[in-house]
Each structure stands twice: as C-alpha cells, then as structure tokens.
C-alpha cells in the first residue's frame, strides 16, 4: 500500500549503537501524521482496559479485550500478556476500538499451564524474542492470506521456546518464555542500558551479527520510546543465544564478525528490500487494515488506520528469498539451530516442558 511504502521511503538511518553482537540503527522520519491512542500498558494501569479469557474454559488462540477508554487502545505485535490460564503474546498489532470488547488473536508462550493464577491479564516488560516473533509473523501472514484468520503455527511457537530455553539453560516447569528473560535478566539489562532513543526517532533496524535484520517503526516518537527497551531485549535474547554456541557450530560460525557492528549498507539493503516488496491488505481485527509484505529475503507487516502507518515490522526471511541458494543474511531455521545445539553440553536432568499442548475446553 502507498502509505507503507511512503513511510519506508521517508525513513533516515542513523549510526548504530552496538553491544554484544547486536546493532541498533535509529530510524528518524520527516514530519508525519499520527493517531491518538492509548498504549495497552497505560490503559491497564489506569483501569481503562481489561483482558480476559473468552470464557471460563478459555481458548488458547483468543482473548477478549474490553476497552472502556474514549480512544482506541494500541496492542503491539509480540507484547506478552501474563495471567489467567496461560501467558500469551499478541499475534499482530491491533487498534482496539473505544467503548468495545474485541476478540484478539494470540499465541501461547507457556505450554505447560492451563489453570488460572489470576482472573485477568497484565502486560509484562517483555516481548516475544525476535527469532520466535519472526517465525510467528510468517505463519500469521500465511493464515491471513489463505484463510482470512490471524492464527499462528502454535506448535512451532512451543518448539521455538523449548529449543531457545534449552540453548540458554532456562527451563521452567510450565515451559514459559518468561524464564528465558528472567534467567538472563542482568545481561539483557546491559543491552537495554546501552541503547537510548535519539531525538525524533520513530523506529529502529536491529541486526544480530552482520546478517540477521529486523525492523520496527511507529507513527510517533513517543510510542517508539515506550517500546524500545522491550524491542532491544527481544533482539538481545537472539544475540545472547547465538553467542552461547561453540566455535564449531555451523550456524553461528557465519557470524564470526559478531564483535563489530553490522554495516550500514546491510541495514539500507534490508530497508530497500521491504520497500520493494509486494503488498497485500486485509480488514484488521480492530480498526484499520492489516498489510502483509513479501520481499526478496524479507517479510513484514503493518497496521494502517486513517491513512497512517501506525506500526510496521519486518524480518529477514530465508523462505522468501527469490534468488535461491543459501542466503546467510537471515534467521537460521529452528530445526537447523536445534541440530547445532547438539554440539553443546546440555544437562539432560533439567525438567522440560510437556510435549502435549494444553487442552482447550
């Protein structure tokens, strides 16, 4: 759509901050329109928003959001919702209309719990880590194009969490994604502390090593500032995960240059790939339109409302590479990463999350 292409074209890339294999390029833009909305965290804090299971029995891929505010509420792709019968993440960015209750699509990030620990949900200081978010984005985009729904590949989400937790020595009794962040909290905080927004910043390009890129852009600097710590933390998990592998790891050895920032040319190339991609749009679950992006070596999505690109995200993606062959600028597939982990010593006595999904009533 023209609004998304224009939003990409208006971005300027700044010099990156760098810490532990993660480069963060600030994105600024010329004056641009923005919308008036309430961030989910603020709405919950002020008692204007409630998030609950859709029924007492619940449904894994759905939650009910009641917005009692006089403005829309913004829920961002990958935000973690904690509580009720199991923790979830939002499947894509949504604007929940004022004065309405909306059923939103979500994915479970806690495979081993299906019982209430509180009646409703709060929002955590975490987001779905970047590689898991990229894979979920791919499956949600495919669901949107083929069936008109916004379902993720839930099994893939659970597999990813299990593999990442195994790699990062962060098992939990319920297979919760949160344990990965809690186990490495101090290290992740170091990443976050080294990245601060610059004046007028509306987005960022993130690079793990020199080849795996991701992007998030919002309609206004205030939203970027609110989400930048969570976004840095989500990519820091990937950077830390890749740094934990041994030198013989065939997946990670492509990133032997992880001790220096990714080149500006790589960030520019990634941005141009997204701009030059093919776009499709669909009515959003809440307000606006969902835009999917398929590009050469990249995928993405955006929420557009009232001709404003409220949020744009993108990720490197091997499966969408049209030139064929092995492209090492993308996130390694989970199965390949899992096989590589066998080169490392894993304590098999640690508890693991159950293999079977929770029962849906």
């Amino acid at each position: 759509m023209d609004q998304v292409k224009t939003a990409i074209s208006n971005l300027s890339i700044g010099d990156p901050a760098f810490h532990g294999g993660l480069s963060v390029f600030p994105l600024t833009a010329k004056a641009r329109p923005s919308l008036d909305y309430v961030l989910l965290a603020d709405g919950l804090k002020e008692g204007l928003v409630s998030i609950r299971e859709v029924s007492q029995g619940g449904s894994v891929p759905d939650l009910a959001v009641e917005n009692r505010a006089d403005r829309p509420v913004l829920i961002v792709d990958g935000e973690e919702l904690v509580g009720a019968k199991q923790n979830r993440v939002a499947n894509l960015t949504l604007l929940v209309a004022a004065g309405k209750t909306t059923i939103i699509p979500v994915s479970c990030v806690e495979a081993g719990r299906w019982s209430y620990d509180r009646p409703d949900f709060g929002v955590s200081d975490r987001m779905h880590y970047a590689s898991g978010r990229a894979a979920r984005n791919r499956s949600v985009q495919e669901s949107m194009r083929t069936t008109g729904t916004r379902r993720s590949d839930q099994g893939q989400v659970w597999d990813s969490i299990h593999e990442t937790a195994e790699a990062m020595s962060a098992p939990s009794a319920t297979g919760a994604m949160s344990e990965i962040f809690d186990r490495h909290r101090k290290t992740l905080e170091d990443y976050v502390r080294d990245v601060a927004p610059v004046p007028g910043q509306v987005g960022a390009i993130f690079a793990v090593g020199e080849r795996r890129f991701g992007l998030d852009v919002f309609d206004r600097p205030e939203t970027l500032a609110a989400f930048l710590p969570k976004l840095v933390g989500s990519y820091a998990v990937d950077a830390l995960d890749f740094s934990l592998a041994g030198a013989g790891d065939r997946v990670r050895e492509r990133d032997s240059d992880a001790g220096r920032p990714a080149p500006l040319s790589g960030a520019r190339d990634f941005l141009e790939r997204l701009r030059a991609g093919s776009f499709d749009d669909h009515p959003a679950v809440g307000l606006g339109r969902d835009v999917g992006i398929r590009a050469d070596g990249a995928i993405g999505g955006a929420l557009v409302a009232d001709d404003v690109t409220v949020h744009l995200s993108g990720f490197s993606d091997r499966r969408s590479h049209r030139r064929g062959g092995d492209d090492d600028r993308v996130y390694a597939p989970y199965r390949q990463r899992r096989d590589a982990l066998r080169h490392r010593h894993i304590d098999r006595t640690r508890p693991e999350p159950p293999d079977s999904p929770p029962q849906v009533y």
Side-chain angles (χ1 to χ4, degrees):
M1 291 180 64
D2 291 342
Q3 296 92 336
V4 179
K5 288 191 175 184
T6 298
I8 296 174
S9 297
N10 286 340
L11 294 170
S12 298
I13 306 175
D15 294 329
F18 179 73
H19 182 99
L22 176 64
S23 305
V24 182
F25 296 84
L27 295 172
T28 56
K30 303 171 184 177
R32 52 192 292 173
S34 62
L35 293 184
D36 186 21
Y37 49 75
V38 179
L39 299 182
L40 176 61
D42 293 337
L44 290 169
K45 183 178 180 180
E46 296 168 10
L48 299 173
V49 179
S50 299
I51 307 176
R52 294 184 172 85
E53 302 287 357
V54 294
S55 65
Q56 184 62 26
S59 170
V60 171
D62 303 291
L63 292 177
V65 179
E66 181 184 359
N67 179 14
R68 298 180 295 276
D70 59 0
R71 292 173 290 165
V73 167
L74 181 69
I75 302 176
V76 173
D77 166 40
E79 280 198 270
E80 187 189 33
L81 312 173
V82 295
K85 302 194 76 168
Q86 60 185 194
N87 297 346
R88 320 289 223 286
V89 293
N91 272 1
L92 71 174
T93 297
L94 308 105
L95 272 175
V96 178
K100 291 187 177 181
T101 296
T102 301
I103 306 302
I104 69 168
V106 294
S107 297
C108 168
V109 288
E110 189 182 14
R113 178 170 71 91
W114 190 241
S115 59
Y116 282 97
D117 67 359
R118 54 182 280 183
D120 57 359
F121 287 87
V123 62
S124 78
D125 61 355
R126 300 175 292 269
M127 294 186 72
H128 200 177
Y129 55 88
S131 57
R133 186 176 166 220
R136 177 177 47 76
N137 180 281
R138 184 192 304 116
S139 64
V140 170
Q141 293 285 341
E142 183 65 20
S143 170
M144 184 167 61
R145 293 181 183 112
T146 58
T147 69
T149 65
R150 273 74 173 168
R151 297 291 190 236
S152 69
D153 182 339
Q154 182 62 73
Q156 183 187 56
V157 173
W158 283 328
D159 285 349
S160 168
I161 292 170
H162 177 76
E163 292 166 12
T164 302
E166 182 180 56
M168 301 183 72
S169 301
S172 80
T174 61
M177 181 188 73
S178 59
E179 184 63 24
I180 298 169
F181 289 82
D182 291 341
R183 183 67 61 92
H184 297 280
R185 181 169 295 276
K186 186 178 185 304
T187 303
L188 297 177
E189 287 174 349
D190 290 340
Y191 279 89
V192 173
R193 189 162 40 247
D194 279 357
V195 180
V198 302
Q201 183 175 347
V202 293
I205 293 176
F206 303 86
V208 177
E210 295 192 24
R211 300 173 179 87
R212 286 173 293 277
F213 290 90
L215 166 147
D216 281 275
V217 179
F218 297 95
D219 63 325
R220 60 192 196 195
E222 296 83 0
T223 306
L224 177 279
F227 278 93
L228 187 59
K230 291 185 179 185
L231 290 166
V232 172
S234 76
Y235 280 91
V237 167
D238 277 14
L240 184 57
D241 179 12
F242 278 85
S243 74
L244 289 174
D249 187 324
R250 64 187 176 90
V251 177
R252 273 74 162 194
E253 66 185 0
R254 294 172 175 171
D255 286 297
S256 58
D257 295 328
R260 61 182 183 231
L264 180 60
S265 59
R268 286 174 175 162
D269 177 69
F270 175 66
L271 194 63
E272 176 57 25
R273 284 168 180 260
L274 288 172
R275 191 196 65 79
S278 62
F279 294 72
D280 54 81
D281 76 287
H282 314 262
V285 172
L287 302 175
R289 308 281 296 181
D290 290 325
V291 178
I293 305 172
R294 286 180 285 188
D296 186 8
I299 56 171
L303 175 66
V304 176
D306 292 341
D307 293 327
V308 174
T309 302
V310 182
H311 179 222
L312 164 68
S313 61
F315 306 93
S316 299
D317 183 65
R318 172 177 280 110
R319 298 185 189 185
S320 62
H321 200 275
R322 294 194 294 265
R323 288 195 291 263
D326 182 24
D327 188 287
D328 60 0
R329 285 172 288 189
V330 299
Y331 284 96
Y334 291 124
R335 296 295 185 267
Q336 186 180 359
R337 293 177 61 217
R338 181 192 61 193
D339 292 343
L341 291 173
R342 291 170 181 164
H343 293 285
R344 301 180 58 234
H345 172 71
I346 301 295
D347 180 1
R348 298 298 181 185
T349 65
R350 296 195 302 263
E352 296 184 352
D355 293 330
S356 59
Q359 184 176 359
V360 181
Y361 295 92

